[in-house]
Amino acid sequence: MSVHAPILVIAIPLLGGFAVPILARIHRTVRDLWVVLIACVVAAGVGYVAAQVFSQGIWVYVLGAKTPQETRVSAGFPIRIMLTVDAMSAFMGLIAGILALAAFPFAVRFIPEEEGKTLALALGLLLLAGIAGMAYTGDLFNFFVFLEVTSIAACGLIGFRTWTSRAPEAAFKTMLLYSVSGLLFLLGIAFLYGEYGALNLAYISAQLRGSMVDRIALALFLSGLLMKVAAAPVHFWAPDAYGEAPAAKTLLLVVNTQVSLYGLWRILFTLYGGKLDAGVGWLVISMGLLTMAVAALMAIGQTDLGRLVAYGAVSQIGYMLLGVGVGLVSLTSRADYGLVAMKGGIFHMLNDALTVGLLFLCVGAVEWVKGTRDLRELGGLGHQLPAVALCFLLASLALAGIPPLNGFASKIMIYEGSFRLSPILTALAVLASILLLAVFARAFQGVFLGPRTEITGRIHWVFLFSMGVLAVGIMVLGLVPGFFVEQVVAPAAEALWRGRALYLAAILGG
Amino acid sequence: MIGNLPFVVCMILVALGLWTLVVKRNLVKLVIGVGLIESGVNLFLVALGYVQGGIPPIYTYAPADAPMVLPTPQALTLTSIVIGVATTALMLAFAVVIYRHKGTLDARKIRELRG
């Protein structure tokens, strides 16, 4: 069994998702337990894959053959679909696993039965399958298929509350953006296929000449994926989507955004690695700065707690783009500060998943007890919900990068790296962080402080469990970041920074 | 020989689709725009797989030196068509729901979520 772990991580949530409606016919408790079980199995699976990859190097899983060499045709390229899990893929899988552990138990309690809970849980598992597929695949077309799986499942989750007027609107907008981004990506694949006649990422990467066609394809990949990661100026779908999806499922949307970001790194570093001009790096950096600035400014005027947190989430994407962009600019010169910034950017993906995830769970809990997320109507919840208030405070501080929390640990690395490239970048990034701190401090004060108000619901212990998982993660990563950076983040960053040759060798041999 | 003409036509289709998305305000027309891009991409994939005088890639009864068509682009196109059907159906479904709520399909009038 264990040799098939990479494909099982994709197959189990996929089949498990389709089994959910059947199990719901038997008994609701069976269905709930099943969903939590699948989430646990997936988390264990990604953990196992990650442990293997970190200790033994790249894991190539060939569908329908034992080794990549067996599938080689006379022209020299492998013809089967391959899952190629290197340290970066394994890291992305870990993020998905951790958030699945927090999201599914929460969702089981959070989504009311009459609101189509069965289908929402099924869609959540399908989304998880798509995310795992995107993280592990080593085939461009396969990546596109999983991209579309996540798009459809995500938009289903955003818009399934069709009796409200806002959810379908958000879902339509998001679906439009996702479709266009997916099609641009597919067009990019078509260009590369037309030139090299293959779809395997490693093979194309080895053949890539940097011709005009390759550049057009790169532009298509970039525009498609930047749309999907909600980089400004095409960020506008994200607050709608994050705001309208049920809070427990928003966690998965956040991972979905991050796995698209991972796809972007894969394209930039592994597919085009070393053949890019610094201009692309600067483009990524400027998109990052624009995203963090626009999102932080937009967060100020929000009156809906969900949308406010959503803008916070979008702004964090900017930091990751900045960190990895700095790495991209210095990729050819191999300056060590580039690697520091990249480690920061990649570490920030994990930290952002935890902090933003926790914030969305807090939003869900607030909505659960008050029935509203309007900041003008909320207040004084700290009296009844001290644990939620504490979690919200913790996550807000982590999001703004206050020591000793995890957001600080990764942001300091991004600042350090970007400062060596240009102090202006760092100044802008710090400024956006301060702005976010102000916004979230105001939100915390508005929601949790003040005179006691009536609440209509009670917090279930499962909510606190899910929030606890993420809160413990935030504190542990903040207090002892060194261990995780050494063991997990550094190999992931190295896999992009220097690992291209290894990635190609794992598939193509020699 | 028709040279690069098929590719040009595909790109025109994609461009028309993108133009539709930018200019049009009716939700159904936006979906049609996405459909146009999709058709352009699918035709592009099919055009890529075209081999002059090619035969189906079935080894039984095939002449020894006949050029075979690589089946991958067709397989890609089929997959992409299936995905396209799903996304189009989903978007149209959302458009129907939006119409029920707001009584209009004009994107300028249904902006409840902004800022």
Side-chain angles (χ1 to χ4, degrees), chain A residues 141 148 155 162-166 168-169 171-173 175-176 179-180 186 190 193-194 244 298 302 307 311, chain B residues 21 27 34 41 44 48 70 72-73 76 80 83 86-87 90-91 94 97 101-102 110-115:
Chain A
F141 190 74
E148 291 290 350
C155 290
T162 46
W163 54 93
T164 68
S165 64
R166 291 156 61 112
E169 189 189 331
F172 186 88
K173 244 190 233 179
M175 193 71 225
L176 201 66
S179 308
V180 175
L186 180 61
Y193 182 80
E244 293 312 314
M298 293 294 279
Q302 297 306 318
R307 285 177 77 78
Y311 274 111
Chain B
L21 292 184
L27 296 188
V34 173
V41 177
F44 186 71
L48 280 177
L70 197 63
T72 321
L76 300 191
S80 154
I83 292 171
T87 52
L90 194 57
M91 275 193 285
F94 287 134
V97 177
H101 279 293
K102 313 265 168 77
I110 55 170
R111 285 198 191 160
E112 209 178 320
L113 299 161
R114 58 185 347 177

Side-chain angles (χ1 to χ4, degrees), chain A residues 145-186:
Chain A
V145 172
F146 284 122
L147 188 85
E148 291 290 350
V149 169
T150 59
S151 297
I152 293 169
C155 290
L157 281 176
I158 297 161
F160 81 98
R161 295 198 267 202
T162 46
W163 54 93
T164 68
S165 64
R166 291 156 61 112
E169 189 189 331
F172 186 88
K173 244 190 233 179
T174 311
M175 193 71 225
L176 201 66
L177 257 289
Y178 276 7
S179 308
V180 175
S181 82
L183 288 169
L184 291 179
F185 193 86
L186 180 61

Side-chain angles (χ1 to χ4, degrees), chain A residues 430-488:
Chain A
V430 173
L431 212 62
S433 268
I434 294 170
L435 204 56
L436 280 174
L437 182 63
V439 170
F440 277 91
R442 197 206 57 175
F444 176 75
Q445 186 254 341
V447 176
F448 294 104
L449 303 183
R452 184 186 284 261
T453 52
E454 282 299 305
I455 59 171
T456 50
R458 284 200 52 216
I459 292 281
H460 196 270
W461 67 267
V462 173
F463 293 0
L464 294 178
F465 166 78
S466 289
M467 290 156 99
V469 169
L470 298 178
V472 167
I474 288 175
M475 283 193 287
V476 169
L477 285 182
L479 292 172
V480 279
F483 177 74
F484 290 92
V485 172
E486 291 283 312
Q487 296 297 321
V488 181

Side-chain angles (χ1 to χ4, degrees), chain A residues 174 229-230 234-244 253 257 310-311 314:
Chain A
T174 311
V229 303
V234 274
H235 65 282
F236 51 83
W237 62 267
D240 300 353
Y242 292 174
E244 293 312 314
L253 297 182
T257 308
Y311 274 111
V314 174

Side-chain angles (χ1 to χ4, degrees), chain A residues 170-334:
Chain A
F172 186 88
K173 244 190 233 179
T174 311
M175 193 71 225
L176 201 66
L177 257 289
Y178 276 7
S179 308
V180 175
S181 82
L183 288 169
L184 291 179
F185 193 86
L186 180 61
L187 196 57
I189 296 173
F191 270 100
L192 286 185
Y193 182 80
E195 190 161 21
Y196 303 110
L199 292 166
N200 190 291
L201 201 145
Y203 177 76
I204 297 179
S205 176
Q207 301 292 312
L208 212 68
R209 290 189 295 260
S211 65
M212 196 61 206
V213 176
D214 299 343
R215 282 158 190 272
I216 296 173
L218 175 67
L220 289 165
F221 288 141
L222 267 178
S223 47
L225 287 172
L226 283 172
M227 263 175 165
K228 194 148 183 208
V229 303
V234 274
H235 65 282
F236 51 83
W237 62 267
D240 300 353
Y242 292 174
E244 293 312 314
K249 294 296 179 191
T250 310
L251 266 70
L252 293 176
L253 297 182
V254 172
V255 189
N256 186 15
T257 308
Q258 293 197 340
V259 81
S260 311
L261 208 57
Y262 154 82
L264 192 62
W265 307 157
R266 188 52 85 210
I267 298 286
L268 288 175
F269 286 93
T270 308
L271 187 59
Y272 282 87
K275 294 198 175 61
L276 293 171
D277 6 306
V280 180
W282 283 106
L283 177 79
V284 173
I285 290 177
S286 47
M287 292 293 262
L289 289 176
L290 192 66
T291 308
M292 66 176 88
V294 167
L297 287 172
M298 293 294 279
I300 297 174
Q302 297 306 318
T303 53
D304 181 312
L305 186 61
R307 285 177 77 78
L308 188 142
V309 174
Y311 274 111
V314 174
S315 75
Q316 298 310 301
I317 299 289
Y319 287 91
M320 300 166 210
L321 289 172
L322 171 64
V324 180
V326 170
L328 201 57
V329 168
S330 51
L331 185 64
T332 37
S333 65
R334 298 274 172 205

